[in-house]
Amino acid sequence: MNWSSPLPALVLVSAVLAVGTYALAVLDRANGDRVARRRLRPRDAVLQPARAASLLLLTRPTATERPDAQAWALAPALLAAMAAGALATVPLDRGVTVADVDDGIVLFGAAMAIVMVAVYLHGWSANSPLPLLGGYRFIALALSYEMPLALVLIAAALPAQSLSVGAIVESQQGLWNVLRQPLGLPLYLVAGMGLGFWGPLNTSDAPDLAGGTAVEVSGPQRLAWELARRFVVVAVAAMGAAVFLGGWQGPVLPGWAWMALKTLLLLAVVAHLGHRVARVRLERFVVVAWTVLIPLALVDVFVSGALAL
Amino acid sequence: MGPFGAALTVVVATGVAVVTSRWLRVTLDPVALTAPERMPFIGGGQPEVHAWSRFHVRYYAMALLFLAFDMEMVFMYPWAVVFVEEGALALMEMLMFIIILLLGILYAWREGALEWA
Amino acid sequence: MGIARWLTPLAAGADVPVFTAIGAGGRALADEAALLPGVRLVDSPRAANILLFVGAVTPPLLRPLLGIHDQLPTPRATVWWPGRAVGGGLASALPDLVVGPAGDGDHLRSVFAELLSGERRSEPPALPDQEAAEWRGVGPFGQGGTGMTGGVPYGRPLPSRAPDPDGLELDQLPLHVGPLFPPFPPGLILHIELQGDVVRQATVGDNPFAGATEDLDQDGPPLDTALFVGALTSPTPIGDLEVARARHHLRWAARTLRLHGLESEGLRLLGLARSLAPADRAAVESLAQRIARSRSLAWTTRGVGILGTDDVTGGPVARAAGLAVDARLHDPAYQGLGFSPVVHGAGDARDRLRQRLAEAVQALELAERAGSQLRRPGPPLEGPRGPLGTEDPLPSVALLGLLPRLLAGQEWGDAMTIVASLDLDLEEAAVGQPAPIPA
């Protein structure tokens, strides 16, 4: 099957995003209830995301006084589109990649950079002070985590001698990158949580901004925004599974099952951290990102380079 | 259709799907909102001015630093591909390049460009 | 529509998204609402379908409340849990208002189900459809006219400039962050001049509870510190006082944790606080220690909002700044209990958090040791915020006065942290203030 033709590509990406997002929502809820010591029946836990989504679909969208309507409509679409584009570069099984380009890492990085634009637009177009603050905060955060993100992916590309994600997966035949480059996955997860403004790095949709960029959205718009945000997290988890956890490689089970398990593992880690770690203070995080995370990422690059020689 | 075409298709299709779903809802169920329903939320009060303003982006210095490192990233991408062929010399050269940029971060940190982020 | 009919049964099983607006005497009930199963408290009215108003409405609160009501998307309904006598003009402004039994989650869920199925109609807007800012100016976009910036585009003026410490002249947004803003204590109005994301200047607005507190004492326990106020005049068991103190501090900690993104941990604290007894000391201690040792929370709150020992005179805020003052030291009832005040050194938001958690644990210890010993009224009483029954103004008054100085120059997130860490109570600050003369 040619996964690069339109229909299979769309079906594959939609399926992965749908399943991954639902799984993330269930994991998130389960983690929250476990930390809060709340009891929830398994049936309720599994159905809650669908119920919440249908409630949002039945609620009417709102608007503000003088928003920039076009940009406001574009923002969740852009976020979702970038997540889908990023996911397209991830190999889901041997030979099953929607966009098996020679520089998949670069394409992924480019899509994740435009996430910054989407979140900022979402905050700015409402013409309301709290979302505006959220949008500007996100840009500060994004500029800080972009570098560690790109650097750890480059470090993973060194042993593979290629920027193609498929080649990186193949290069992990003997040893997964999470063991070969131990600094890589933690840094990648930090950057990934920033991309999806999740948990500790949720400065843009924060409770101290009463919801931040999502203050003024309701109904289907809110559903679109929340879904798009989770799409990004799923895409990040899938790429992390491919680049650090060996992708579709593994005994006994078929490749896509391994990929699914590894992605779910990363989603579980992200969901866990979202409920256990307090939100960072932006200024301090920026300082730490530039003075600690980037040097660590550079150490990662050079150590893995030295090992690859 | 090559892989880039497929990626582009996925991107455009997802974007169009989200925009269409929003437009559908709005056209199928158009009820005008009253003025109080469209008030920006600020805890019960009313806004005095537009939120659109010349916002003081305090992290502009850090953004310039980011530009420099972005260019460094551009150079690191092709370096990663040819690195193993070129051997230890490539490692040394990139190390020198990175050290110069790290000195830039050190300077920015000491000058307080990161503190006002 | 066909799809709506298919989605409604699915949506009826969802967690009810509720936006809580807290009026006079409603804070404890609002914390109860957070614990209800099948109910989810949201940060913004636009994420909610049910507006839960808890407490009594005072005239300055009415219009903001109606404004927030209109900001909820349809289908919407309002449920009122009055802590005391019903009144204040709310029922006339919202004809579909549902007065519910306080703390009843099933009632909330049934209102929500009726709303979705169509049995209960969605509430119409409460305020008249009048543009708050009409188009003005000469040209088609409101431009033109007289003055430096010409007309008023889209009805509202653009923000004007102000000098900035960086040497630039950039726009300053005047924000009147209202009485029902979720990160704030209920009733706090701050007039903030926001430049970028930094609060250049903050002034405290008129207390909406002024003049209402005379009615508060009549119909039951409204004030957060009602038990303590009562202990000023009648003998009260020390155990009750200390358990109330611990409960107060745990509830405050839960709200703060929610503000910092640890909502689930906060819910766990609330669950412990709901049925608090001296026997829960071990559970509270382990949880409190875990939270106090949380490195991410410490990183966020360290060095924020430092108060020195000459800024505050009593209460947990002073003890967190290093001042070992506590009215219980001079209280004969506490003499045999081995009480010594907990003190922290730095006086920042982190120490205030650790202080209150430590005091909650200490309060439960004291309650265990005191048993059913009674405290005689007479000497000053240490309330959860500071000493009561002295000639000094009530603790919240002094803390409110500190706000403008503390918030000037702070980034927004830090400003929210500071406001939350002071544990203000606008009702306490309003005691003795006359009602404002209606304009």
Side-chain angles (χ1 to χ4, degrees), chain A residues 178-272:
Chain A
V178 66
L179 300 169
R180 199 161 43 179
Q181 302 169 4
L183 283 173
L185 190 56
L187 287 173
Y188 178 78
L189 281 180
V190 170
M193 281 195 292
L195 272 170
F197 43 105
W198 190 269
L201 265 59
N202 184 11
T203 50
S204 59
D205 274 16
D208 69 353
L209 286 174
T213 62
V215 162
E216 308 287 355
V217 287
S218 78
Q221 303 154 283
R222 180 170 280 270
L223 181 64
W225 184 249
E226 295 294 322
L227 278 181
R229 177 184 174 199
R230 284 167 176 79
F231 286 172
V232 171
V233 180
V234 169
V236 162
M239 179 60 106
V243 167
F244 291 103
L245 293 179
W248 41 259
Q249 292 168 344
V252 181
L253 290 175
W256 54 266
W258 274 118
M259 195 59 192
L261 281 177
K262 292 170 188 179
T263 310
L264 278 178
L265 174 67
L266 286 184
L267 287 177
V269 170
V270 168
H272 171 84

Side-chain angles (χ1 to χ4, degrees), chain C residues 288-356:
Chain C
Q289 273 180 0
R290 232 229 354 253
I291 293 172
R293 276 190 308 227
S294 158
R295 288 218 218 111
S296 55
L297 196 53
W299 194 41
T300 310
T301 47
R302 195 176 340 144
V304 174
I306 296 182
L307 278 176
T309 50
D310 40 358
D311 293 322
V312 232
T313 50
V317 180
R319 289 195 284 280
L323 207 58
V325 287
D326 195 317
R328 289 175 283 178
L329 276 175
H330 312 291
D331 196 333
Y334 285 85
Q335 290 306 342
L337 296 175
F339 167 77
S340 64
V342 180
V343 172
H344 287 84
D348 54 7
R350 172 175 185 228
D351 273 356
R352 292 197 274 275
L353 172 70
R354 289 158 79 202
Q355 176 75 28
R356 290 193 181 96

Side-chain angles (χ1 to χ4, degrees), chain C residues 112-330:
Chain C
F112 176 67
E114 288 166 14
L115 188 66
L116 280 186
S117 66
E119 283 169 44
R120 176 184 299 279
R121 70 162 181 169
S122 168
E123 292 183 358
L127 293 171
D129 184 8
Q130 274 168 1
E131 288 271 351
E134 293 287 343
W135 287 67
R136 292 198 292 280
V138 176
F141 299 102
Q143 81 276 27
T146 56
M148 274 284 288
T149 49
V152 180
Y154 296 114
R156 289 205 190 276
L158 287 174
S160 58
R161 298 187 297 172
D164 177 274
D166 273 350
L168 306 163
E169 278 224 1
L170 291 165
D171 290 352
Q172 219 174 52
L173 283 180
L175 287 183
H176 308 294
V177 186
L180 299 167
F181 191 57
F184 280 176
L188 179 64
I189 302 177
L190 278 182
H191 303 297
I192 293 179
E193 295 282 334
L194 194 71
Q195 191 166 44
D197 58 347
V198 169
V199 174
R200 285 282 162 239
Q201 199 188 3
T203 46
V204 182
D206 295 331
N207 196 329
F209 300 128
T213 46
E214 285 84 48
D215 308 329
L216 295 187
D217 296 326
Q218 290 166 8
D219 302 323
L223 279 177
D224 218 359
T225 49
L227 186 67
F228 294 88
V229 170
L232 284 174
T233 47
S234 56
T236 322
I238 295 184
D240 289 355
L241 280 178
E242 293 304 317
V243 168
R245 185 194 313 277
R247 187 180 297 130
H248 172 98
H249 286 324
L250 288 181
R251 286 205 166 121
W252 169 86
R255 283 192 292 267
T256 307
L257 286 176
R258 191 201 161 100
L259 185 69
H260 285 116
L262 291 174
E263 184 183 346
S264 308
E265 303 260 15
L267 281 177
R268 181 142 170 248
L269 269 181
L270 277 181
L272 272 178
R274 174 158 60 174
S275 52
L276 198 60
D280 295 325
R281 189 186 59 81
V284 171
E285 186 166 5
S286 69
L287 186 53
Q289 273 180 0
R290 232 229 354 253
I291 293 172
R293 276 190 308 227
S294 158
R295 288 218 218 111
S296 55
L297 196 53
W299 194 41
T300 310
T301 47
R302 195 176 340 144
V304 174
I306 296 182
L307 278 176
T309 50
D310 40 358
D311 293 322
V312 232
T313 50
V317 180
R319 289 195 284 280
L323 207 58
V325 287
D326 195 317
R328 289 175 283 178
L329 276 175
H330 312 291

Side-chain angles (χ1 to χ4, degrees), chain A:
Chain A
M1 164 107 66
N2 179 14
W3 292 104
S4 291
S5 49
L7 197 56
L10 286 173
V11 168
L12 187 62
V13 169
S14 317
V16 173
L17 284 178
V19 173
T21 310
Y22 205 90
L24 177 63
V26 172
L27 283 170
D28 189 22
R29 182 59 194 265
N31 262 294
D33 286 339
R34 191 168 54 88
V35 174
R37 300 282 195 273
R38 270 181 140 162
R39 293 263 167 275
L40 199 68
R41 291 187 320 205
R43 182 164 169 268
D44 282 339
V46 167
L47 278 181
Q48 270 310 322
R51 290 175 176 160
S54 19
L55 177 61
L56 284 174
L57 282 174
L58 290 174
T59 306
R60 181 161 295 135
T62 56
T64 51
E65 280 184 320
R66 301 277 182 251
D68 184 343
Q70 292 81 14
W72 213 5
L74 181 62
L78 192 59
L79 191 62
M82 290 304 115
L87 188 63
T89 61
V90 176
L92 301 164
D93 198 347
R94 189 193 302 267
V96 176
T97 318
V98 167
D100 191 11
V101 294
D102 281 337
D103 35 24
I105 300 283
V106 182
L107 191 57
F108 180 80
M112 294 291 102
I114 301 185
V115 164
M116 185 189 337
V117 175
V119 179
Y120 175 71
L121 266 188
H122 198 241
W124 181 85
S125 28
N127 196 1
S128 169
L130 293 172
L132 188 70
L133 280 178
Y136 278 105
R137 272 188 182 182
F138 185 75
I139 293 188
L141 191 73
L143 292 178
S144 308
Y145 69 60
E146 284 289 343
M147 292 306 314
L149 180 69
L151 286 173
V152 296
L153 289 177
I154 288 177
L158 287 175
Q161 301 178 52
S162 163
L163 296 171
S164 146
V165 190
I168 295 180
V169 174
E170 307 251 337
S171 79
Q172 294 178 70
Q173 201 94 36
L175 191 63
W176 290 356
N177 275 340
V178 66
L179 300 169
R180 199 161 43 179
Q181 302 169 4
L183 283 173
L185 190 56
L187 287 173
Y188 178 78
L189 281 180
V190 170
M193 281 195 292
L195 272 170
F197 43 105
W198 190 269
L201 265 59
N202 184 11
T203 50
S204 59
D205 274 16
D208 69 353
L209 286 174
T213 62
V215 162
E216 308 287 355
V217 287
S218 78
Q221 303 154 283
R222 180 170 280 270
L223 181 64
W225 184 249
E226 295 294 322
L227 278 181
R229 177 184 174 199
R230 284 167 176 79
F231 286 172
V232 171
V233 180
V234 169
V236 162
M239 179 60 106
V243 167
F244 291 103
L245 293 179
W248 41 259
Q249 292 168 344
V252 181
L253 290 175
W256 54 266
W258 274 118
M259 195 59 192
L261 281 177
K262 292 170 188 179
T263 310
L264 278 178
L265 174 67
L266 286 184
L267 287 177
V269 170
V270 168
H272 171 84
L273 288 175
H275 288 281
R276 287 286 188 182
V277 183
R279 193 178 60 253
V280 300
R281 227 178 124 205
L282 189 59
E283 286 191 34
R284 291 218 176 119
F285 177 76
V286 167
V287 171
V288 163
W290 284 93
T291 55
V292 173
L293 294 187
I294 291 186
L296 277 180
L298 288 168
V299 163
D300 186 34
V301 167
F302 287 112
V303 165
S304 64
L307 285 176
L309 281 177

